[in-house]
Structures are given as structure tokens and as C-alpha cells.
């Protein structure tokens, strides 16, 4: 597609439930990133994929968070046993090279009630 | 460790010039990127400095001095639509290219 697509745009879930957030990067971009952003803060790094493998998952806050990118394109961020503190906007970005910059999707606003 | 410092807020008037400074400490430094984010929107890539010096893109310019661990974004001929948050972000190379964002600078352009 023309840009990074994230679905759903909004997700409301009950505490303790499992959620999946999807990211469809720009075609041909081998690098894919997940961030989350709370109000008034900058994007917080979660995980970075180069191709199918997670090159850096040091930002995942705990083992309830997991992400996959099985075919090197679409990625899914999975959150188990959601907590109210997980509420944030989850942003996905993809890039081709370092100096071409990363292109962000519009994000998924996750609300845990 | 890694740290980034930017002013939290800057106010300027339409037509003016504003400079947003960024100082950083990172290991494995590989250049400096700048992103713009409007309220409720996604971050948008503005520029990347891989080497020292000035990069110009239209009304926006970005400068980097690696020896001083310092960079800035210069916005000229400010327009109301430039009101947004601006983030400097040093990528890390090697096995990872993650961008580290600080809390950003909120620019308010007044008429």
C-alpha cells in the first residue's frame, strides 16, 4: 500500500483480555518497528524487526507482550492479560534505510477498561 | 546510557525563525533524525543528519555536530501549521536501528 496501515484504529478491551494489533508496512521495507505513546510523551520503543527476525526486543515491558512478523511483511503485536496501564497509542513504523527515515502508521488506540 | 535533551516548549510568531536544540548522549551514535508530530497524528520524518553540517529541506534545516553531541532543527518563515511537537531521535546502527525519542518540543506558532 501507499503507507503504513494499522488495524484496528481503536480497540477497547476489558482488563485481563488478550489483544492483537496488526501492522502492514510499506511494501519493500525490511525494517519494522513498534512503539507505544502515552499522552504528552514521545514514542517509546518496543521492538524492531529486520526481515522476519526480531533484531531488538529490549523495549518490550514484560512477557505479556509479544510480536511476530512471520513472512517479513505484516506484523502482529500481541498483548496477553491486558492491564489498564497498557492503555496507549501503539505505533508501527517501517523503513528502507536509516537516512530515508521511518514512516509511521496512524496507530491503534488501545483502551483497557 | 542514553539521554536526550530538548526544550519542552517553544513559542514563536508567524513568519519568524525558530531553532529547536537537541543534545544527546548515546552509545554507538549513527546520526540524528528529526520528526514532527501534530496533535492526534503520527510522527512524520523531517530530516536525517549522518554527518556534521547543515541539511536544508525547504523551510526546514537541520544541523549536527557530532563532536559536541549537539544538533538543532531550524524552521523558517513559520506558519500556523508548523504548530506541533518536534522530536530529535538518534538511531543506533549495528544490529539494531531503533530510534530513541525523548519527550519532544512543543512548538506553538501564534498569529
Amino acid at each position: 500500500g501507499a503507507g503504513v496501515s494499522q488495524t484496528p484504529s481503536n480497540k477497547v478491551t476489558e482488563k485481563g483480555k488478550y489483544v492483537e494489533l496488526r501492522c502492514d508496512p510499506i511494501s519493500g521495507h525490511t525494517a519494522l518497528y513498534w512503539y507505544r505513546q502515552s499522552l504528552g510523551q514521545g514514542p517509546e520503543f518496543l521492538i524492531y524487526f529486520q526481515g522476519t527476525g526480531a533484531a531488538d526486543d529490549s523495549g518490550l515491558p514484560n512477557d505479556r507482550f509479544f510480536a511476530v512478523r512471520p513472512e517479513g511483511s505484516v506484523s502482529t503485536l500481541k498483548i496477553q492479560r491486558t492491564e489498564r496501564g497498557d492503555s496507549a497509542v501503539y505505533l508501527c513504523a517501517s523503513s528502507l534505510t536509516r537516512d530515508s527515515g521511518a514512516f509511521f502508521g496512524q496507530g491503534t488506540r488501545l483502551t483497557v477498561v | 546510557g542514553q539521554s536526550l535533551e530538548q526544550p519542552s516548549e517553544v513559542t514563536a510568531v508567524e513568519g519568524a525563525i525558530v531553532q529547536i536544540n537537541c543534545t544527546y548522549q548515546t552509545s554507538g551514535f549513527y546520526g540524528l533524525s528529526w520528526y514532527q508530530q501534530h496533535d492526534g497524528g503520527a510522527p512524520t520524518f523531517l530530516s536525517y543528519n549522518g554527518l556534521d553540517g547543515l541539511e536544508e529541506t525547504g523551510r526546514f534545516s537541520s544541523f549536527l555536530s557530532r563532536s559536541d553531541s549537539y544538533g538543532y532543527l531550524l524552521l523558517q518563515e513559520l506558519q500556523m501549521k508548523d504548530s506541533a511537537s518536534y522530536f530529535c531521535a538518534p538511531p543506533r546502527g549495528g544490529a539494531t536501528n531503533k530510534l530513541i525519542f525523548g519527550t519532544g518540543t512543543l512548538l506553538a506558532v501564534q498569529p
Side-chain angles (χ1 to χ4, degrees), chain B residues 93-106:
Chain B
T96 178
N97 264 321
K98 69 186 182 187
L99 295 167
I100 305 297
F101 292 87
T103 54
T105 297
L106 182 61

Side-chain angles (χ1 to χ4, degrees), chain A residues 18-38:
Chain A
Y18 167 83
V19 296
E20 289 190 351
L21 311 180
R22 176 188 166 109
C23 173
D24 200 340
I26 293 173
S27 178
H29 281 192
T30 55
L32 185 145
Y33 316 79
W34 283 99
Y35 289 82
R36 71 177 176 181
Q37 187 172 26
S38 300

Side-chain angles (χ1 to χ4, degrees), chain A residues 70-93:
Chain A
E71 297 177 357
S73 178
V74 171
S75 176
T76 304
L77 178 66
K78 308 179 181 192
I79 310 174
Q80 298 178 318
R81 304 183 303 281
T82 51
E83 300 177 357
R84 292 197 178 88
D86 299 334
S87 297
V89 175
Y90 288 79
L91 294 163
C92 175

